[in-house]
């Protein structure tokens, strides 16, 4: 039971990281059908925001608390600028958005190298998040993993409530279901797109802050994460938040089980084979979006 619980929590913690990485992408990719390859660099921006704040704020705990909203705003602003300057002109050409945002990601990586240097840098974790929580039966849970799990669930809850209860959320859902009908109903779809991109990119910034607790950060850290984020969104179903949540934790548990039984490389192969098999059986993803489109 000890081993089983340990592996289960490891899988849940991996799923929490995947969920934080993919949450913002589920919002932007699901609503606007934009293949944003620069999403990983918004995660990097959030991580470097934490690093910069720690240079001026001595307390690691206080700097982490301040970094969460600041990273959200920094990454969100970068996403809003990207939408206004480039993506807005390419909504009808999704493949062009892939190429453009890939170029933007390379530019942001080089900018990070010019400012912070090529070597990875390390941030200080708060003392509260460096130990373990002892549970009955000799089980231990890492504090930093537990914090990331709570942060991911809080982000999902906040986003769900915003989409369901606020006027902005209702406008976003209207645009997702039928953009043309929303436009003729008086909804400023361009403003909704800009706001959605801000929120989605801001969530990527939060993921960057969380990832500083797990290891060093560098200019190419986003490149290693963007594929996993897209897999979670696609398998969960385009524009389906609940699908992304379920798939993130399912893939995390599957990967943790594979790592325990085999090796890290083999576990990655098992995850990819499972994804391919699932998409062959259900190419639309775990959940599908019901719309009022006549097409």
């Amino acid at each position: 039971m000890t081993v089983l619980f340990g592996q289960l929590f490891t899988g849940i913690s991996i799923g929490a990281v995947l969920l934080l990485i993919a949450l913002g992408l589920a919002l932007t990719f699901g609503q606007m059908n934009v293949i944003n390859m620069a999403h990983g660099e918004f995660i990097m921006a959030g991580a470097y925001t934490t690093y910069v704040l720690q240079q001026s704020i001595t307390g690691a705990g206080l700097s982490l608390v301040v970094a969460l909203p600041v990273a959200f705003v920094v990454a969100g602003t970068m996403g809003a600028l990207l939408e206004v300057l480039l993506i807005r002109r390419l909504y009808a050409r999704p493949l062009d958005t892939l190429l453009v945002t890939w170029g933007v990601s390379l530019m942001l990586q080089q900018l990070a190298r010019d400012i912070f240097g090529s070597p990875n840098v390390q941030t200080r974790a708060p003392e509260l998040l460096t130990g373990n929580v002892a549970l009955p039966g000799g089980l231990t849970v890492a504090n930093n993993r537990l914090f990331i799990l709570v942060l991911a669930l809080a982000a999902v809850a906040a986003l769900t409530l915003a989409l369901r209860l606020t006027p902005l959320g209702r406008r976003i859902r209207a645009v997702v279901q039928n953009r043309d009908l929303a436009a003729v109903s008086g909804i400023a779809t361009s403003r909704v797109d800009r706001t959605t991109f801000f929120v989605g990119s801001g969530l990527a910034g939060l993921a960057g802050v969380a990832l500083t607790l797990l290891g060093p950060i560098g200019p190419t850290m986003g490149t290693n994460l963007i594929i996993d984020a897209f897999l979670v969104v696609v398998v969960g179903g385009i524009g389906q938040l609940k699908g992304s949540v379920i798939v993130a934790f399912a893939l995390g548990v599957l990967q943790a089980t594979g790592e325990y039984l085999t090796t890290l490389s083999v576990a990655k192969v098992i995850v990819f084979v499972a994804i391919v098999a699932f998409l062959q059986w259900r190419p639309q993803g775990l959940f599908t979006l019901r719309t009022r489109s006549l097409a």
Side-chain angles (χ1 to χ4, degrees), residues 162-177 182 187 192:
L163 290 175
R164 290 183 178 273
L165 303 180
T166 65
L168 173 61
R170 288 192 288 269
R171 288 194 292 268
I172 290 175
R173 288 188 286 119
V175 173
V176 170
Q177 291 183 14
I187 296 177
V192 172

Side-chain angles (χ1 to χ4, degrees), residues 176-188:
V176 170
Q177 291 183 14
N178 193 311
R179 176 180 293 271
D180 294 334
L181 183 58
V184 299
S185 300
I187 296 177

Side-chain angles (χ1 to χ4, degrees), residues 9-24 39 43 144-153 203-204 206-208 210-214 221 224-225 228-229 232 244-245 248-249 252 255:
F9 181 78
T10 299
I12 291 174
S13 64
I14 294 174
V17 174
L18 289 175
L19 179 58
L20 268 180
I21 293 170
L23 194 57
H39 186 79
I43 298 174
N144 58 349
R145 295 277 184 175
L146 191 60
F147 173 79
I148 293 175
L149 175 60
V150 172
L151 180 62
L153 294 178
L203 290 170
L206 290 183
L211 290 174
T212 61
L213 300 172
L214 300 180
M221 64 178 295
N224 303 324
L225 303 171
D228 290 336
V232 170
S244 297
V245 174
F249 286 114
Q255 181 172 326

Side-chain angles (χ1 to χ4, degrees), residues 98-175:
L98 185 151
L99 296 175
V100 168
T101 55
W102 176 253
V104 171
S105 72
L106 296 178
M107 293 171 61
L108 292 176
Q109 289 178 25
Q110 186 58 48
L111 181 62
R113 292 189 185 95
D114 294 339
I115 297 175
F116 302 104
S118 296
N120 291 348
V121 296
Q122 186 75 49
T123 59
R124 304 185 311 276
E127 184 176 352
L128 183 64
L129 300 180
T130 55
N132 299 315
V133 176
L135 299 177
L139 303 175
T140 58
V141 175
N143 288 347
N144 58 349
R145 295 277 184 175
L146 191 60
F147 173 79
I148 293 175
L149 175 60
V150 172
L151 180 62
L153 294 178
V156 171
L159 183 59
T160 301
L161 291 175
L163 290 175
R164 290 183 178 273
L165 303 180
T166 65
L168 173 61
R170 288 192 288 269
R171 288 194 292 268
I172 290 175
R173 288 188 286 119
V175 173

Side-chain angles (χ1 to χ4, degrees), residues 17-55:
V17 174
L18 289 175
L19 179 58
L20 268 180
I21 293 170
L23 194 57
L25 195 64
L27 193 61
T28 55
F29 189 30
Q31 176 183 331
M32 292 175 284
N33 197 28
V34 172
I35 307 175
N36 181 19
M37 298 300 293
H39 186 79
E41 278 55 53
F42 298 152
I43 298 174
M44 175 195 70
Y48 273 118
T49 298
T50 307
Y51 174 75
V52 170
L53 287 174
Q54 285 197 352
Q55 308 307 307

Side-chain angles (χ1 to χ4, degrees), residues 187-199:
I187 296 177
T189 56
S190 60
R191 185 183 303 170
V192 172
D193 290 340
R194 184 168 61 250
T195 305
T196 303
F197 226 91
F198 175 85
V199 174

